[in-house]
């Protein structure tokens, strides 16, 4: 099973992604994740959702092998739409979403946590968008919610990563803890949130989304148009074959 849901305490639901070896999701996996988050948020008994992952890393983005097996564009279109659905599900979840991040959080992983309401990270967590090395574009919308604009651009152009400690310094991560303490800390925050009135929490989530300066769903879909253009031009395949280096 790629996505599972647990009920560790009153008012809290944990949605966990588990797809070895690196939690890179195929098209169907992104839709499963979107459905799980939406279902949890719609439950009137839920007041906070924790988004977590099993294994050594949080999320490595899209399953590149699935794209490479497809001789047409069906897998790419599916991945684009699936990612958009999963990211939007986190953003529009009716209750706050806390992301518990360990290890690598790359590509689609940044899309997920960038749309979360709060982030708790382990000391080994790193965040980045290696898109230009994979022949793709996207999720700059979400990285821009984690770091200042010029740093976002530098990270995007270089495919470099930032550590959880660096994000803590920018104020986008709530706590950085040793790996064994990650879920305990994330659940502690979720339970603090879940102690609030459920109706007011849902109103608060809608209100905060309503005052966001950027429409993240539209912004991300705009980025994806350039990903598709790169594929149509043959650039994506060439870049993937050369590991992001100029031929």
């Amino acid at each position: 099973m790629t996505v599972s849901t647990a009920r560790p305490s009153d008012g809290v639901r944990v949605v966990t992604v588990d797809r070895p070896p690196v939690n890179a999701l195929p098209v169907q996996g992104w839709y499963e994740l979107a459905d799980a988050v939406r279902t949890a948020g719609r439950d009137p008994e839920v007041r906070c959702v924790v988004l977590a992952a099993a294994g050594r890393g949080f999320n490595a983005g899209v399953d590149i092998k699935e794209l490479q097996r497809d001789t047409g564009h069906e897998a790419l279109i599916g991945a684009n739409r699936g990612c958009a659905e999963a990211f939007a599900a986190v953003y529009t979840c009716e209750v706050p979403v806390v992301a518990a991040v360990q290890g690598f959080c790359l590509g689609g992983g940044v899309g997920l946590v960038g749309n979360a309401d709060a982030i708790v990270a382990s000391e080994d967590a790193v965040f980045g968008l290696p898109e230009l090395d994979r022949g793709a574009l996207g999720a700059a919308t979400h990285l821009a919610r984690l770091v200042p604009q010029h740093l976002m651009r530098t990270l995007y152009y270089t495919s470099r990563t930032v550590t959880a400690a660096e994000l803590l310094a920018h104020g986008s991560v709530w706590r950085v803890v040793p790996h064994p303490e990650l879920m305990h800390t994330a659940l502690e925050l979720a339970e603090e949130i879940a102690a609030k009135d459920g109706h007011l929490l849902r109103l608060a989530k809608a209100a905060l989304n309503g005052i966001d300066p950027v429409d993240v769903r539209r912004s991300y879909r705009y980025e994806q148009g350039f990903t598709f253009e790169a594929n149509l031009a043959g650039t994506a395949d060439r870049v993937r074959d050369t590991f992001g280096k100029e031929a």
Side-chain angles (χ1 to χ4, degrees):
M1 181 179 294
T2 300
V3 181
S4 62
T5 303
R7 304 183 179 190
S9 58
D10 183 46
V12 175
R13 296 294 179 272
V14 177
V15 176
T16 303
V17 174
D18 185 4
R19 189 173 190 265
V22 295
N23 288 328
L25 294 180
V27 171
Q28 186 58 36
W30 291 107
Y31 281 105
E32 288 178 12
L33 179 55
D35 289 342
V37 172
R38 288 196 176 105
T39 298
R42 288 169 182 160
D43 186 337
E45 295 184 359
V46 174
R47 297 184 293 281
C48 189
V49 172
V50 176
L51 181 60
R56 58 192 178 90
F58 180 77
N59 189 285
V62 170
D63 184 350
I64 298 297
K65 292 180 180 179
E66 182 179 39
L67 298 182
Q68 293 174 327
R69 288 193 298 267
D70 185 11
T71 57
H73 299 297
E74 184 176 348
L76 175 63
I77 293 172
N80 276 2
R81 291 178 175 174
C83 284
E85 284 294 311
F87 301 170
V90 173
Y91 184 76
T92 62
C93 182
E94 296 177 28
V95 297
V97 176
V98 174
V101 182
Q102 82 276 9
F104 46 81
C105 179
L106 306 173
V110 169
L112 294 170
V113 303
N115 272 355
D117 294 278
I119 304 168
V120 177
S122 62
E123 293 171 337
D124 65 345
V126 293
F127 303 74
L129 293 178
E131 312 309 279
L132 293 186
D133 289 345
R134 296 177 175 175
L137 298 166
T141 293
H142 311 92
L143 185 58
R145 295 166 68 83
L146 303 177
V147 299
Q149 180 70 208
H150 284 84
L151 178 55
M152 178 276 287
R153 288 172 177 255
T154 301
L155 294 172
Y156 198 81
Y157 294 144
T158 62
S159 298
R160 288 177 177 264
T161 59
V162 289
T163 66
E166 289 173 303
L167 291 189
L168 181 67
H170 287 294
S172 49
V173 166
W174 172 249
R175 292 279 302 280
V176 178
V177 298
H179 194 152
E181 299 176 18
L182 176 62
M183 281 307 298
H184 171 77
T185 306
L187 288 172
E188 189 175 58
L189 175 58
E191 288 166 359
E192 182 178 349
I193 294 170
K196 307 296 183 185
D197 181 84
H199 183 222
L200 281 178
L201 276 174
R202 291 166 188 270
L203 291 176
K205 177 67 181 275
L208 291 179
N209 282 2
I211 63 172
D212 258 340
V214 175
D215 182 336
V216 295
R217 290 171 293 179
R218 184 174 63 183
S219 178
Y220 178 58
R221 289 296 277 168
Y222 178 81
E223 288 187 74
Q224 287 185 322
F226 290 95
T227 297
F228 196 65
E229 182 177 324
N231 275 267
L232 289 177
T235 305
D237 290 336
R238 174 175 56 79
V239 170
R240 279 194 292 266
D241 290 344
T242 59
F243 300 99
K245 305 300 182 182
E246 181 64 33

